[in-house]
Amino acid sequence: MILCCGEALIDMIPAPVQTGGTGYVPHSGGAVFNTAVALGRLDVPTGFLTGLSKDLFGEQLRETLGNSRVDTRFCILSDRPTTLAFVRLTDGHATYTFYDENTAGRSLFPDQLPDLPDEIGALYFGGISLISEPCADFYAALAMRDADERLIVMDPNIRAGFIRDEDRYRARLDAMIRRTGILKVSDEDLEWILPGPGPLDEKAGAIAARGPKIVIVTRGREGAFASFSDGTMVTAPARRVEVVDTVGAGDTFNAGVLAALASDGLLTRAGLEEIDGPRMKSALEHGARVAAVTVSRAGANPPWSHELSGPDPD
Ligand code: ATP
């Protein structure tokens, strides 16, 4: 089983109301949440670890997870409210206003670290695990505690605008990267981590030298590549599809990659050693296939496994 560790929140999406003006419709969301839902829908045994509010939005999030076959028994229940992200669309461009002070998802502390069963072979972390206090300390402590026995996978999903103390964030990110077996970054993330001139593949190689066996770099419609610490490199193109929106493309791509590795029994610390170039290439291709479905429909709505069983679109 893979345990996805991060925040589930509510995106408040604007919608017209009958009396005039704008109302908001609550949609379940969050980067790690999207990946967990996608994994569950792809039939990968998946759990979710978060601070989950007992309020009605917490109920909505739990219901969405359960409906997608994600195990919620690891959620730490809280009387604090759910984080809300109000979305404003201006000329098709989304900006966010967060209501996230002292919320359930952000208020996890290292003394709440749970004992985890042996069935959990991998831990998946996202960006919020690094930015938000105090939950960043909680997630970092979990990764430090378990890195020797469980595979650590991370997508930092860097949002430079949300980082308050850059030095602190960079130090945290670096500490996490050193414990990560598979790191996924976008090309923009990579340029942020290692600014300055130089080709992406060399930068990915430089990060792999810090600890991860595999650094996956996604490049939107340009596809993705994976750079191994031993110098191996494999690539996979993106699918050519009619794009509705790219919300959640990276989150579901990650789920597709991990689902392929899980089906080969490789989502464990020992399994990591067996991942070679050809296996990684086919995992990247699966990621592109899953992401292609997500970008061809509205919102982060990951496909179910039966939606992938049709003929190849290419
Ligand atoms: P996010 O916006 O969710 O943070 P990301 O930056 O992490 O995404 P991207 O590099 O944008 O991730 O996309 C991840 C994968 O999704 C790509 O490698 C590709 O397979 C697929 N994808 C993204 N955009 C497109 C597109 N326009 N057409 C087809 N596939 C796409």
Side-chain angles (χ1 to χ4, degrees):
M1 172 180 275
I2 181 166
L3 185 64
C4 295
C5 310
E7 193 175 35
L9 51 76
I10 294 289
D11 285 318
M12 299 297 272
I13 308 290
V17 288
Q18 273 179 344
T19 45
T22 304
Y24 290 87
V25 180
H27 286 256
S28 303
V32 175
F33 173 90
N34 290 337
T35 300
V37 165
L39 283 164
R41 292 183 180 185
L42 295 173
D43 305 324
V44 179
T46 303
F48 196 63
L49 170 60
T50 192
L52 186 68
S53 174
K54 294 180 195 161
D55 67 13
L56 79 119
F57 292 130
E59 276 306 311
Q60 175 177 335
L61 292 165
R62 186 209 293 273
E63 208 175 283
T64 315
L65 289 164
N67 287 344
S68 297
R69 304 192 198 117
V70 178
D71 192 336
T72 56
R73 85 185 119 125
F74 305 101
C75 293
I76 298 172
L77 289 179
S78 166
D79 290 321
R80 298 170 194 265
T82 299
T83 295
L84 305 180
F86 283 79
V87 182
R88 175 170 290 173
L89 292 168
T90 317
D91 299 331
H93 183 71
T95 52
Y96 296 87
T97 305
F98 282 93
Y99 288 75
D100 59 359
E101 289 283 318
N102 299 317
T103 53
R106 307 275 160 116
S107 307
L108 286 174
F109 301 86
D111 63 5
Q112 292 174 287
L113 279 190
D115 288 328
L116 297 175
D118 292 343
E119 67 184 300
I120 295 173
L123 300 176
Y124 176 89
F125 294 96
I128 209 67
S129 329
L130 299 161
I131 290 185
S132 299
E133 311 272 357
C135 69
D137 292 333
F138 171 88
Y139 292 117
L142 179 58
M144 305 301 146
R145 188 192 73 178
D146 286 11
D148 288 340
E149 49 192 84
R150 298 189 164 97
L151 167 63
I152 307 291
V153 184
M154 182 171 68
D155 177 354
N157 215 337
I158 297 166
R159 296 286 180 262
F162 296 155
I163 298 168
R164 288 182 196 138
D165 181 339
E166 188 176 319
D167 290 344
R168 197 176 160 90
Y169 176 80
R170 282 190 183 272
R172 255 202 194 118
L173 179 61
D174 194 52
M176 285 291 279
I177 286 175
R178 288 175 193 283
R179 280 162 181 81
T180 297
I182 303 176
L183 176 74
K184 182 273 182 185
V185 288
S186 67
D187 44 5
E188 286 174 5
D189 293 340
L190 190 51
E191 297 291 8
W192 190 89
I193 297 170
L194 291 179
L200 283 178
D201 56 344
E202 276 181 21
K203 291 188 178 190
I207 295 198
R210 293 186 190 176
K213 173 173 170 175
I214 302 166
V215 175
I216 300 171
V217 181
T218 60
R219 304 172 56 225
R221 73 166 77 116
E222 302 300 320
F225 69 88
S227 175
F228 285 60
S229 52
D230 68 3
T232 304
M233 169 99 97
V234 291
T235 61
R239 296 295 176 113
R240 289 186 302 280
V241 286
E242 221 159 282
V243 175
V244 173
D245 73 51
T246 59
V247 176
D251 306 332
T252 47
F253 172 88
N254 293 347
V257 170
L258 295 172
L261 297 175
S263 74
D264 286 340
L266 301 176
L267 272 194
T268 61
R269 189 74 191 73
L272 176 68
E273 304 308 325
E274 289 175 44
I275 302 175
D276 56 11
R279 279 181 146 146
M280 198 61 221
K281 185 173 173 60
S282 77
L284 292 182
E285 286 165 354
H286 193 59
R289 190 165 196 222
V290 175
V293 179
T294 301
V295 302
S296 63
R297 58 197 193 193
N301 180 10
W304 295 84
S305 50
H306 65 80
E307 295 181 81
L308 299 171
S309 57
D312 221 325
D314 280 349

